Amino acid sequence: MHDFALQERQVLGELAAWIADRRDAPVLIPPGSAGALPAVGASGIGIRATWAVLRDVLLPSSFPADHPRYLAFVGGSPTPAAVIADAALSAAAVYGGSELEAGDVVVAERMAVRWLCDVIGYPEDAHGVFVSGGSLANLSALVAARHDRVGSGGGLPDVIVISAAAHSSIRSAAAIMGCRVVSAGSPDHPTGAADLAPVLDSLDPRDIVAVVANAGATNTGAIDDLAGIAASCEARGIWMHVDAAYGGAALLSPARRPQFDGIQRADSVTIDPHKWLFTPFDCAAVLYLDPAVARSAHRQRAAYLDAVDNDDDNPADYAAHLTRRARGIPVWASLVANGTDAYVDAVETCLAVAGYAAKQVEATPHLELVTEPRLSVVLFRRIGWDAARYTAWSAGLRSRRTALVTPTTYAGEPALRLCFVNPLTSTDDVDFILNTLEPDTSPALEDVTDTDHRATGDSRSW
């Protein structure tokens, strides 16, 4: 079972070709359309038959997040270099918790972390670690924040103050920690220092774990007044955490960077390379202005860890984990292979296509923008449609396997949301989606004629 016999070697070769070619001939099928899956039984069916099911049934039933018309939620588009490194990492069986076991893999991860710290504007002694996603990154940062407050001699703080548009993972982290959440501002607008001040003034600073600000709200792309919030936190001695899981990549755009002023003053920052920094799932980073605080909060001690306790920089020590995948390696490999200029260009491409989408909406009589576009999120409405109509339209696109666009809510009303984080998404893709919203289009798209070669299961190229 553990040897690479002839069939395993043959399948490996096929897998390599499939990885390289999957964008050239994607075949997407509706989930459940292929019938029953092979059962788990006492006798196996062999790797060739298993690979056939995986290739032809399981994977095509998903809507891949790197599809150019995956514009729901926040997708991602890994570079080939990152994909290759990720595959090699899986095969190499690297435990990424300590340098004792991972060797120079940890050194390379530190280089990727350092690049992210530089992007944020953090000083040389800042540090962090790659974790599975923004949820764990946010939780780890907030645990470190509370540890810092307890360590200063106060009681156990139990209040997390959040921007009203904070990601759902913040409330989840608060529940895990036994904390309550108090919000400031509006979920539809950036939160400013003026929104935050009355909330902070109503609380005892000793009860506050942290203030959480957004640098690219998931639903709208809004960036809070980071400089003003930083000043408020500094004046009160409160930990400031910035959730830049989605939006932080826009720091690479020289024109957008001023919008993030103040992020470099945050005590911790979350940023997800598997979103807009072109890395495979799953990969997020939590970065700390003072990594010693995080290490003190998260380091685990036990007799079986004595061999690595003398290492002053174990990746396992900076988040709520012990066993970990060396998720930073695909980030490092892609940066080394492609160079940082390519990353800047890719982010700028996404911003440009988002700008094009906004202009097309403005120019279309039966469509309307619902808010000023922020970063690469475009929120708009099809005039005259209600929530049910949006849902049916979205389901029609998905059932035809042409696009994944989901409705959302803004200012209490249903709307459509396009999020551009894939440089392969073109203006043609935007036009295709907007054309399905013509006045005579039914919500289920029965009458839509798909003339775009990328829209169907027998498409030849993304």
Side-chain angles (χ1 to χ4, degrees), residues 318-329:
Y318 293 100
H321 59 198
L322 183 60
T323 299
R324 66 175 294 273
R325 178 179 173 82
R327 295 177 177 88
I329 290 302

Side-chain angles (χ1 to χ4, degrees), residues 401-422:
R401 318 300 281 164
T402 58
L404 190 66
V405 181
T406 51
T408 187
T409 300
Y410 180 83
E413 298 292 332
L416 290 173
R417 173 183 173 277
L418 304 177
C419 183
F420 297 90
V421 292
N422 185 347

Side-chain angles (χ1 to χ4, degrees), residues 71-73 188 219-220 361 367-371 377-394 405-418 437:
L71 299 173
F73 314 112
D188 299 320
N219 200 44
T220 65
V361 168
L367 304 178
E368 63 178 1
L369 291 174
V370 300
T371 183
V377 172
V378 178
L379 288 173
F380 68 104
R381 291 195 177 101
R382 165 64 169 81
I383 296 172
W385 280 18
D386 58 13
R389 186 96 170 186
Y390 285 125
T391 299
W393 173 84
S394 174
V405 181
T406 51
T408 187
T409 300
Y410 180 83
E413 298 292 332
L416 290 173
R417 173 183 173 277
L418 304 177
L437 295 163

Side-chain angles (χ1 to χ4, degrees), residues 39-329:
V40 176
S43 299
I45 64 173
I47 186 59
R48 180 164 294 284
T50 303
W51 162 237
V53 174
L54 180 61
R55 178 194 62 214
D56 300 334
V57 179
L58 296 185
L59 297 180
S61 72
S62 71
F63 202 105
D66 62 345
H67 191 287
R69 293 190 193 139
Y70 183 109
L71 299 173
F73 314 112
V74 185
S77 182
T79 66
V83 170
I84 290 169
D86 193 64
L89 186 65
S90 293
V94 175
Y95 166 73
S98 72
E99 191 171 343
L100 173 72
E101 294 156 284
D104 285 347
V105 165
V106 169
V107 177
E109 280 199 288
R110 289 178 190 142
M111 294 172 68
V113 166
R114 182 64 254 162
W115 177 71
L116 289 174
C117 286
D118 290 341
V119 169
I120 295 299
Y122 267 174
E124 283 299 319
D125 54 354
H127 193 38
V129 69
F130 293 98
V131 296
S132 61
S135 295
L136 186 56
N138 287 332
L139 173 63
S140 299
L142 292 171
V143 168
R146 184 167 66 177
H147 179 85
D148 186 50
R149 302 305 301 275
V150 173
S152 66
L156 189 66
D158 64 351
V159 178
I160 298 173
V161 180
I162 67 171
S163 168
H167 191 268
S168 57
S169 63
I170 303 297
R171 293 185 181 275
S172 177
I176 291 170
M177 296 169 64
C179 294
R180 63 188 177 97
V181 170
V182 177
S183 64
S186 163
D188 299 320
H189 303 284
T191 297
D195 301 307
L196 184 64
V199 175
L200 295 182
D201 290 343
S202 70
L203 299 167
D204 186 334
R206 294 172 297 182
D207 294 334
I208 300 175
V209 174
V211 170
V212 181
N214 284 318
T218 303
N219 200 44
T220 65
I223 301 172
D224 292 338
D225 174 16
L226 302 179
I229 293 172
S232 295
C233 291
E234 290 165 358
R236 295 170 172 83
I238 297 171
W239 184 290
M240 177 186 176
H241 175 65
V242 174
D243 186 350
Y246 147 62
L251 281 158
L252 295 176
S253 168
R256 303 299 180 110
R257 189 173 184 88
Q259 297 177 252
F260 294 85
D261 181 44
I263 193 171
Q264 73 279 5
R265 296 160 65 183
D267 295 282
S268 55
V269 176
T270 289
I271 185 168
D272 289 5
H274 68 213
K275 287 186 167 73
W276 202 2
L277 288 175
F278 320 121
T279 302
F281 296 118
D282 50 14
C283 181
V286 54
L287 310 173
Y288 302 101
L289 187 62
D290 183 358
V293 174
R295 189 165 182 265
S296 176
H298 292 294
R299 188 179 188 185
Q300 299 184 33
R301 295 186 180 276
Y304 44 80
L305 296 175
D306 286 347
V308 295
D309 272 350
N310 291 328
D311 188 341
D312 291 334
D313 191 14
N314 287 323
D317 293 342
Y318 293 100
H321 59 198
L322 183 60
T323 299
R324 66 175 294 273
R325 178 179 173 82
R327 295 177 177 88
I329 290 302

